Amino acid sequence: MANLLVTGGAGFIGANFVRHWRQRRPDDAIIIVDALTYAGSRSNLDGVSDVPLFVEDIRNTPAIRALLARYRIDTIVNFAAESHVDRSIDGPDAFIDTNIVGTHSLLKAAKAVWLDEGSGQPHRFHHVSTDEVYGSLGPHDRAFTETTPFAPNSPYSASKAASDHLVRAYQRTYGLETSISHCSNNYGPYQLPEKLIPLFVVNCLRGIDLPIYGDGMNVRDWLHVDDHCRGIERILLSGRPGQTYNIGGGEELPNLAVVNAVCAGIDAAFEADPSLASRFPDAPAAQGRASECLKRHVADRLGHDRRYAVDDGKIRKELGYTPERSFAAGLRATLAWYLANECWWRAVMDGSNSR
């Protein structure tokens, strides 16, 4: 039986992980620390039982240290992060504070309780990172491996790279048992509509333009959040301390293809369910028009990485991980979730369910 602290557990990936772990390992104890910024919401955890949520900043080292001791935590899974590239370009300070200073605060608390106080208990500090730390690939370059040198190109990815280095340093210097995962682009339920797929789903339903950066041919590897959670589970249960693992979805797609798939999926949903037209009268699909009429190309993002692709052969070979959801199936399920959860996305967009 494990005792987990999940930071950022009221956010998109964190909440999905809590749901996954609670379902798969109901006897384990879980507590959540989340500052409930704009990206976190109590509603993301609706229906999850026996998981206390502590509204706390991970930079509050004494508070984290007290929670680790009080709940006899042996596993930390760190999802807490500022993660939106556009926001990091407009205001990088928050990314430095949360992603670097916050991660260091967690490491200090973990070292104090697990090592300095001499408990000697088995433990694991798992840090959730991103493939963006590796930089950008050309169209024919080999995919990122765990040994690819870091070359971050945005304040967001630079802050995550720095936090990765801190985690590694605490492993090598102090003997803290850590692991790191680098995931590709996540999508799925409970994702805030500032990221590409949920933003474009919501915009299609509201009849708002779909802003496509540049030529729309920036390529990403798409990973359903359920598969990401499965990958982290494998690392926690069987991954070697001190190791880094890439978690990928195995499907590289240009952004334009993803946008086209979202538009086609929305149009198909309206055709299959005529009641959607009355619920979303501003949607082109409610007016007999194709959702793709909303597509608009806009000026490219500053420093926009052209292509990400991860080689996840290590986690497949060592831990037996393979993604279970194809992008087509995952997108269908995601579209259905957003259509069925209008109250959720409207509330998170106006901030009414963040507390």
Side-chain angles (χ1 to χ4, degrees):
M1 179 175 174
N3 297 325
L4 280 72
L5 166 61
V6 180
T7 68
F12 162 48
I13 306 176
N16 276 284
F17 176 80
V18 168
R19 291 175 177 277
H20 174 87
W21 199 273
R22 172 55 73 228
Q23 181 178 16
R24 296 284 292 268
R25 302 185 174 276
D27 293 334
D28 287 354
I30 305 172
I31 66 170
I32 293 171
V33 166
D34 199 297
L36 292 185
T37 63
Y38 79 96
S41 172
R42 293 182 186 275
S43 67
N44 293 351
L45 298 163
D46 285 350
V48 180
S49 60
D50 300 322
V51 179
L53 168 61
F54 296 90
V55 181
E56 187 58 77
D57 192 315
I58 58 172
R59 293 174 296 172
N60 187 342
T61 309
I64 300 300
R65 185 171 171 174
L67 287 172
L68 293 177
R70 174 184 172 188
Y71 287 92
R72 301 182 181 276
I73 298 298
D74 53 47
T75 304
I76 296 173
V77 189
N78 181 30
F79 293 98
E82 293 283 348
S83 65
H84 191 40
V85 174
D86 287 351
R87 287 178 181 266
S88 82
I89 293 170
D90 294 336
D93 287 1
F95 291 72
I96 305 303
D97 289 343
T98 298
N99 299 353
I100 302 177
V101 178
T103 298
H104 189 223
S105 169
L106 292 172
L107 289 165
K108 288 191 296 181
K111 175 179 175 290
V113 173
W114 291 340
L115 301 180
D116 297 346
E117 295 175 3
S119 68
Q121 70 183 109
H123 60 267
R124 175 64 63 89
F125 184 111
H126 182 74
H127 182 61
V128 180
S129 190
T130 171
D131 59 0
E132 296 188 41
V133 299
Y134 298 123
S136 184
L137 291 170
H140 305 297
D141 290 341
R142 295 180 63 181
F144 302 128
T145 70
E146 289 82 358
T147 60
T148 300
F150 284 7
N153 291 319
S154 70
Y156 161 59
S157 56
S159 68
K160 291 299 289 184
S163 65
D164 291 357
H165 287 314
L166 285 169
V167 173
R168 182 179 186 275
Y170 267 69
Q171 165 81 25
R172 295 296 295 270
T173 301
Y174 303 113
L176 196 70
E177 294 200 354
T178 68
S179 52
I180 300 171
S181 57
H182 294 128
C183 68
S184 53
N185 270 35
N186 277 222
Y187 68 99
Y190 300 103
Q191 188 172 30
L192 195 71
E194 66 177 5
K195 300 296 179 75
L196 191 152
I197 288 177
L199 174 65
F200 282 28
V201 169
V202 169
N203 281 12
C204 281
L205 298 176
R206 300 167 72 195
I208 298 173
D209 283 355
L210 308 178
I212 302 167
Y213 283 131
D215 62 3
M217 297 308 291
N218 301 77
V219 174
R220 302 292 184 261
D221 173 33
W222 291 90
L223 172 67
H224 192 276
V225 67
D226 287 351
D227 282 328
H228 187 190
C229 293
R230 290 177 48 252
I232 294 172
E233 180 185 25
R234 295 291 180 91
I235 295 169
L236 290 174
L237 297 178
S238 305
R240 291 177 290 146
Q243 293 296 303
T244 296
Y245 297 90
N246 288 341
I247 305 176
E251 295 197 57
E252 288 187 58
L253 292 169
N255 287 344
L256 191 57
V258 174
V259 175
N260 289 339
V262 168
C263 291
I266 291 293
D267 293 347
F270 273 71
E271 184 176 352
D273 182 359
S275 70
L276 292 176
S278 59
R279 287 177 55 199
F280 306 105
D282 295 326
Q287 303 160 14
R289 297 183 294 139
S291 295
E292 67 176 12
C293 71
L294 297 172
K295 293 192 300 185
R296 298 288 184 272
H297 288 267
V298 299
D300 207 355
R301 170 194 284 163
L302 296 174
H304 200 180
D305 292 331
R306 190 63 172 174
R307 173 177 168 243
Y308 304 141
V310 298
D311 180 342
D312 60 1
K314 179 177 178 179
I315 193 173
R316 288 173 182 258
K317 181 179 179 180
E318 290 190 10
L319 307 183
Y321 163 84
T322 54
E324 292 184 348
R325 292 206 186 212
S326 68
F327 180 75
L331 182 62
R332 282 195 300 272
T334 300
L335 294 179
W337 189 89
Y338 280 90
L339 287 169
N341 288 274
E342 178 186 358
C343 291
W344 177 88
W345 56 257
R346 288 195 184 278
V348 298
M349 291 179 74
D350 67 22
S352 62
N353 67 349
S354 62
R355 297 287 173 178

